[in-house]
């Protein structure tokens, strides 16, 4: 596979149309359509959305939010971290490294990453070196968050 380019997605109506292709595949719980619609202002708005294009079409996407260390209850010492949401690759393009490219892009920030994986995706996250969080904030109960730690940062103890 040739090198995959991850792009920051613009918040505009073209991106909104691209997102509709993902929703059509039945992943209602992963749809970022509502998020995008509420954020459309103009092309240069700060976007939390990233994607991979193939042949001019968006084929993989994710949301990536930076969380300030003052809200960190996962890592020791407290640290800014990324929250990776709604990673999705269109069915025809799965298993070809596009999801991995998105995760590697996020890892490139060299910050801890937290995600709440969707059902049946734990194998993917394990291959990406994510592990089950042993310390769960109250709001994460039932969601089984997974975390990835760059070198030199450890997970907070559960005591």
């Amino acid at each position: 596979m040739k090198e995959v380019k991850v792009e920051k997605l613009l918040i505009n109506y073209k991106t909104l149309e691209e997102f509709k292709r993902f929703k059509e595949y039945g992943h209602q719980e992963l749809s970022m359509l509502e998020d995008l619609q509420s954020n459309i202002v103009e092309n240069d708005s700060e976007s939390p959305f990233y994607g991979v294009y193939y042949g001019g079409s968006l084929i993989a996407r994710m949301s990536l939010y930076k969380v300030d260390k003052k809200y960190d209850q996962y890592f020791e010492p407290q640290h800014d971290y990324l929250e990776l949401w709604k990673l999705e690759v269109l069915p025809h393009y799965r298993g070809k490294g596009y999801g991995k490219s998105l995760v590697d892009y996020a890892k490139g920030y060299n910050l801890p990453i937290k995600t709440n994986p969707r059902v049946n995706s734990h194998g993917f996250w394990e291959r990406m070196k994510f592990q089950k969080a042993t310390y769960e904030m109250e709001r994460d109960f039932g969601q089984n968050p997974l975390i990835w730690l760059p070198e030199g940062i450890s997970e907070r103890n559960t005591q």
Side-chain angles (χ1 to χ4, degrees):
M1 185 175 96
K2 69 177 189 169
E3 187 176 331
V4 175
K5 181 181 176 194
V6 174
E7 299 180 33
K8 189 167 203 159
L9 301 179
L10 297 174
I11 298 177
N12 60 26
Y13 288 99
K14 179 182 182 298
T15 305
L16 180 66
E17 287 303 311
E18 294 274 8
F19 277 16
K20 287 179 181 177
R21 292 183 55 225
F22 287 83
K23 193 170 186 173
E24 290 172 4
Y25 280 91
H27 298 294
Q28 300 286 338
E29 76 282 5
L30 296 179
S31 175
M32 293 187 284
L33 198 53
E34 293 80 14
D35 292 347
L36 183 65
Q37 284 174 317
S38 66
N39 284 307
I40 288 181
V41 179
E42 51 190 73
N43 270 347
D44 62 355
S45 296
E46 189 60 28
S47 169
F49 309 114
Y50 297 83
V52 174
Y53 285 88
Y54 184 86
S57 295
L58 183 66
I59 61 160
R61 68 187 184 170
M62 70 176 172
S63 294
L64 199 58
Y65 297 93
K66 186 174 181 184
V67 179
D68 190 276
K69 68 181 177 182
K70 69 182 175 185
Y71 301 110
D72 173 21
Q73 295 186 33
Y74 287 96
F75 309 106
E76 193 64 52
Q78 274 189 308
H79 210 284
D80 291 347
Y81 69 95
L82 297 175
E83 193 145 3
L84 193 157
W85 286 90
K86 303 172 184 172
L87 175 72
E88 185 177 5
V89 178
L90 290 175
H92 182 70
Y93 298 95
R94 291 183 188 152
K96 298 179 180 180
Y98 297 110
K100 179 185 182 315
S101 293
L102 287 168
V103 173
D104 287 346
Y105 179 87
K107 286 179 177 180
Y109 283 94
N110 205 35
L111 291 171
I113 302 172
K114 175 191 164 280
T115 191
N116 290 317
R118 56 183 268 227
V119 177
N120 299 324
S121 68
H122 282 274
F124 169 80
W125 294 106
E126 287 172 3
R127 288 190 300 279
M128 299 298 107
K129 307 294 186 213
F130 279 69
Q131 53 193 288
K132 186 173 170 65
T134 56
Y135 182 84
E136 294 186 31
M137 295 185 340
E138 186 175 318
R139 68 186 178 94
D140 285 330
F141 287 158
Q143 293 184 6
N144 301 314
L146 298 178
I147 58 173
W148 174 81
L149 302 166
E151 225 171 282
I153 299 174
S154 60
E155 185 179 2
R156 185 177 302 270
N157 293 328
T158 57
Q159 284 91 16

